[in-house]
């Protein structure tokens, strides 16, 4: 009896139909990406956020004016209405100008660089610091855990704006000081989240197996526990970026944030709020809308990430 090569494998085994082949299993990150893309609002927020970041990075090439260069400002062009041509007739102020003759469109795009840079930078530094302290508190336990958590509780018990005003009143204004202030305010959220997740992971079987193999504690924490704590920390980080941008704008609006020569969105809003009722609405309106769109886009992405990494919150 002859064998049919089309119905048997090379070693005489029956050939499997394509439908019966085992499907490749998706990784948790691929599943998360697929779930994230199901939300139209989150995808829209991500697209808007990418556009804003790209515009901020390309600010020197897409803006007609460098609002931080005092030599390019003309006080004769101060408080011009939107769609007004500048005094030299070289370009148009599509969003008008503020009281210093600064092109608002250029100021908003350059302001996004500061707001996004301060928000992302402070969240990254606070995330690394808070995550390390949270992991140490969970793994060490005892007095170390009690000391770190009491420090977290003490910091979270005060209003953020009050603590920020106290710090900046002492160290002075400046981008570096604002980032330092935001790090002091944000690390506690990461520490509390990392500790809670690490306590759950430290009781799992793979951690016990690693301890039985005499693996050093630092390798267990960094190589086994930390990767499983990343999803909730990513969610906290995305929301803290929006919170940092809002707090930085508030501090700049109050005059304790970035210097006046390098305005962020909050300082641009402060430049025109006193003249809003006199008809010069555009000076504060357009920077305020840019800040609103940025924060809403980040929150849409952060809320969807929270739902993806915690399916119990999905409706």
């Amino acid at each position: 009896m002859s064998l049919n090569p089309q119905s048997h494998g090379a070693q005489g085994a029956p050939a499997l139909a394509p439908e019966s082949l085992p499907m490749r299993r998706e990784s948790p990150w691929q599943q998360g990406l697929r779930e994230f893309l199901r939300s139209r609002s989150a995808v829209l927020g991500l697209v808007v956020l990418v556009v804003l970041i790209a515009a901020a990075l390309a600010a020197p090439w897409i803006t007609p004016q460098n609002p931080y260069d005092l030599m390019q400002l003309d006080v004769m062009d101060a408080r011009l209405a939107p769609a007004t041509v500048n005094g030299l007739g070289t370009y148009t102020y599509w969003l008008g100008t503020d009281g210093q003759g600064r092109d608002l469109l250029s100021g908003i795009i350059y302001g996004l660089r500061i707001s996004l840079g301060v928000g992302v930078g402070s969240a990254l530094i606070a995330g690394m610091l808070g995550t390390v302290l949270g992991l140490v508190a969970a793994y060490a336990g005892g007095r170390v855990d009690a000391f770190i958590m009491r420090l977290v509780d003490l910091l979270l018990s005060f209003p953020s704006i009050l603590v920020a005003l106290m710090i900046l009143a002492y160290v002075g204004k400046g981008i570096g000081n604002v980032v330092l202030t935001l790090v002091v305010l944000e690390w506690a959220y990461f520490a509390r989240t990392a500790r809670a997740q690490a306590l759950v992971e430290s009781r799992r079987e793979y951690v016990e197996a690693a301890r039985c193999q005499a693996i050093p504690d630092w390798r267990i924490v960094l190589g086994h526990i930390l990767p499983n704590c990343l999803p909730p920390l990513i969610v906290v980080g995305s929301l803290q970026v929006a919170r940092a941008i809002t707090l930085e704008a508030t501090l700049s609006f109050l005059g304790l944030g970035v210097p006046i020569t390098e305005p962020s969105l909050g300082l641009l809003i402060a430049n025109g709020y006193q003249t809003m009722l006199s008809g010069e609405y555009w000076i504060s309106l357009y920077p305020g809308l840019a800040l609103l769109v940025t924060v809403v886009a980040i929150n849409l992405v952060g809320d969807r990430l929270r739902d993806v990494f915690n399916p119990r919150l999905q409706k």
Side-chain angles (χ1 to χ4, degrees), residues 60 63-73 91 102 106-107 110:
T63 55
Q65 179 192 84
N66 183 355
Y68 300 159
D69 187 0
L70 300 180
M71 299 299 296
Q72 297 185 25
L73 304 183
Y91 55 86
R102 185 184 292 111
S106 303
Y110 271 85

Side-chain angles (χ1 to χ4, degrees), residues 45 151 169 185 248 268:
L151 187 61
L185 296 174
E248 182 276 326
L268 291 175

Side-chain angles (χ1 to χ4, degrees), residues 97-138:
T97 61
D98 61 6
Q100 289 77 35
R102 185 184 292 111
D103 176 34
L104 276 182
L105 178 60
S106 303
I108 289 173
I109 296 177
Y110 271 85
L112 280 172
R113 303 181 77 183
I114 294 181
S115 297
L116 290 173
V118 169
V120 175
S122 62
L124 286 176
I125 298 174
M128 291 186 291
L129 176 62
T131 299
V132 170
L133 292 177
L135 293 175
V136 170

Side-chain angles (χ1 to χ4, degrees), residues 190-211:
F190 292 94
R192 186 170 60 178
T193 303
R195 174 184 177 271
Q197 190 67 22
L199 286 175
V200 175
E201 297 297 329
S202 61
R203 297 185 177 94
R204 298 191 182 274
E205 291 79 4
Y206 68 88
V207 175
E208 295 296 333
R211 289 172 177 169

Side-chain angles (χ1 to χ4, degrees), residues 106-169:
S106 303
I108 289 173
I109 296 177
Y110 271 85
L112 280 172
R113 303 181 77 183
I114 294 181
S115 297
L116 290 173
V118 169
V120 175
S122 62
L124 286 176
I125 298 174
M128 291 186 291
L129 176 62
T131 299
V132 170
L133 292 177
L135 293 175
V136 170
Y139 200 81
R143 295 182 178 180
V144 176
D145 183 19
F147 174 77
I148 295 177
M149 287 300 102
R150 296 297 78 77
L151 187 61
V152 169
D153 295 337
L154 178 63
L155 185 60
L156 296 181
S157 64
F158 291 96
S160 298
I161 186 65
L162 177 61
V163 177
L165 290 175
M166 292 173 58
I167 296 176
L168 288 176

